[in-house]
Amino acid sequence: MLIGFISLSSYAQETNETPKSYSFSLEEAIRYGLAHNVEALNAQRDITISLKQKWEIIAQGLPQVSGAVDYQNYIKQPVQLLPAEITGGEPGTFIPVTFGTQQSMNATATWNQIIFDGSYLVGIQSAKTLLQITENAKTKTDLEVKKGIINAYGNVLLAEENAAILKKNVENVQQTYDETKLTFENGLAEEEDVEQLEITLLTLKNNLNRSERMSRIAYEMLNITLGLPVETDLTLTEELEELAIQYFDLSILQENIPVEENIDFRIAKNTAESAEIEVKLEKAKALPSLTGFVNYGYQGYSEEFTFLNDNQDYFDQSILGISLKIPIFSSGMRTARTQQKKIALEQALADLEYTKNEVKQQINSAKTEYEYSLDNYEVQKKNLALAERIENKNKIKFEEGIASSFELNEAQRQLYTAQQDYLQSMLNVITKKVELENLLDTTKYKEKE
């Protein structure tokens, strides 16, 4: 029974720990990743924190109510000396007396209110800017997460496609090798031809093993990017060539946006706005501040602890007060701080102008890179078709004894290079387009609630 219970428990534990499997198209992977990627989640949490900070700043100017209860017990009451002559005693002498009761309790409630404070008004403005900063940071994070998912998804497809091609190449060369070896054993082929094919076959098998290992690593990287455990079983429903065709879009090269809409520019603008608020804050510190308060409380006195009894006497008290603070002289400290903030503002404005020019250059460069990737895709597609025909012709010539093994090997190497270049050109079409999209479109893949 005990062994059966242990086995059943182990089976239940293994069942509970079995990773869930997923099937994603690229768009589904992007949606899922934006909702579960750690960086995207933390960026959303930053927005929540900013909202709380905004309310914290606003609440500082709203009424603040506090309460206090003080209990005192004079274990040894202090003694005061009074002239003895006030009670008819001898002049020049003193009599010891104690004042008040041994125990006392005081309960008060205080209402504090800011009436005017320049720093508080600036703080309200800074809360709005802080929220914009975190929202723009979230947008930037989403764009980077989207880019990472697309790259990781494409790398998985590239690794799988590469492994499939290498496997097919191994099968083809293996067949040629077996036939040539048999021909050599019958004395109708050179040993060098067999050895040359064996070199090609071993190289292909080694590349295939590496490609299969890289495929596993690519899946793990995609899982991490999506916010999944690395061991999660994933199935991708799209193919590399299919995606390359989807991302083949000449119209995007004609798209233009105001630089002010670019996320990097907006972040730089937030930095300049923050620097401007810092200047206003330092200037506001030189303004008077006015606060008010209302205090109301009860006091009770007794020689023993009778403060919870119904017959205990309590005496109420209340105070209304206003406090005006006027900064007069700081030995130049406030001026120095204000000058520092003004210089920081000048730096932020200079950075903003630099970012504006940099974004323009990045957009132009991204368009050039994407346009080249489209042209290169077409060229590599044609090159692959030519390399396949050349390799097939040389294979036929080799089998007929017209071409040497070196000529066949050169044609094969040219084919394998064309295959790799074609795969990479498809991936480049995808990755270069997403880089351009990140610069032109900041909302397309934002998380949908």
Side-chain angles (χ1 to χ4, degrees), residues 158-202:
L158 176 66
E160 286 189 329
E161 188 70 22
N162 187 46
I165 290 176
L166 286 171
K167 186 176 181 180
K168 184 178 179 181
N169 291 340
V170 167
E171 292 174 354
N172 292 335
V173 174
Q174 182 72 57
Q175 181 181 357
T176 304
Y177 171 77
D178 293 340
E179 293 173 354
T180 304
K181 185 177 181 182
L182 181 61
T183 304
F184 166 70
E185 291 173 352
N186 292 328
L188 299 175
E190 296 290 337
E191 182 179 12
E192 189 176 353
D193 294 338
V194 178
E195 293 173 341
Q196 185 65 57
L197 286 170
E198 185 176 5
I199 291 174
T200 303
L201 183 60
L202 290 174

Side-chain angles (χ1 to χ4, degrees), residues 23-241:
S23 177
F24 290 128
S25 66
L26 177 57
E27 185 173 351
E28 290 169 344
I30 291 172
R31 303 297 181 195
Y32 185 91
L34 290 176
H36 297 86
N37 179 274
V38 174
E39 294 180 356
L41 289 174
N42 284 338
Q44 183 60 48
R45 293 185 181 108
D46 286 338
I47 292 179
T48 304
I49 291 173
S50 296
L51 289 171
K52 301 301 181 182
Q53 289 176 334
K54 180 180 179 180
W55 178 249
E56 177 187 0
I57 294 173
I58 293 173
Q60 292 176 9
L62 300 179
Q64 308 290 319
V65 180
S66 61
V69 177
D70 296 318
Y71 166 72
Q72 290 184 334
N73 187 335
Y74 285 103
I75 299 176
K76 189 69 175 178
Q77 286 183 276
V79 175
Q80 299 290 332
L81 296 179
L82 297 178
E85 57 189 82
I86 65 175
T87 60
E90 183 178 347
T93 61
F94 298 89
I95 57 174
V97 296
T98 57
F99 294 95
T101 59
Q102 184 175 355
Q103 300 185 41
S104 65
M105 183 172 286
N106 181 25
T108 59
T110 304
W111 175 307
N112 291 287
Q113 175 66 59
I114 294 177
I115 300 174
F116 174 80
D117 190 326
S119 299
Y120 172 72
L121 298 177
V122 175
I124 296 295
Q125 183 180 357
S126 70
K128 179 181 178 181
T129 301
L130 176 62
L131 182 59
Q132 290 177 346
I133 289 173
T134 52
E135 288 176 343
N136 285 334
K138 166 64 173 170
T139 299
K140 178 69 173 179
T141 300
D142 283 353
L143 289 172
E144 292 301 321
V145 169
K146 182 200 76 171
K147 177 181 175 181
I149 292 171
I150 293 175
N151 288 341
Y153 196 102
N155 284 330
V156 170
L157 296 181
L158 176 66
E160 286 189 329
E161 188 70 22
N162 187 46
I165 290 176
L166 286 171
K167 186 176 181 180
K168 184 178 179 181
N169 291 340
V170 167
E171 292 174 354
N172 292 335
V173 174
Q174 182 72 57
Q175 181 181 357
T176 304
Y177 171 77
D178 293 340
E179 293 173 354
T180 304
K181 185 177 181 182
L182 181 61
T183 304
F184 166 70
E185 291 173 352
N186 292 328
L188 299 175
E190 296 290 337
E191 182 179 12
E192 189 176 353
D193 294 338
V194 178
E195 293 173 341
Q196 185 65 57
L197 286 170
E198 185 176 5
I199 291 174
T200 303
L201 183 60
L202 290 174
T203 302
L204 285 174
K205 287 182 177 180
N206 184 55
N207 290 339
L208 176 59
N209 290 334
R210 181 178 183 276
S211 180
E212 290 174 343
R213 289 193 294 270
M214 293 303 296
S215 178
R216 291 193 295 270
I217 294 175
Y219 268 108
E220 292 178 355
M221 290 300 299
L222 179 57
N223 281 334
I224 292 174
T225 307
L226 293 174
L228 293 169
V230 293
E231 66 274 8
T232 302
D233 183 22
L234 278 183
T235 300
L236 306 189
T237 61
E238 298 191 80
E239 296 181 356
L240 186 60
E241 187 171 11

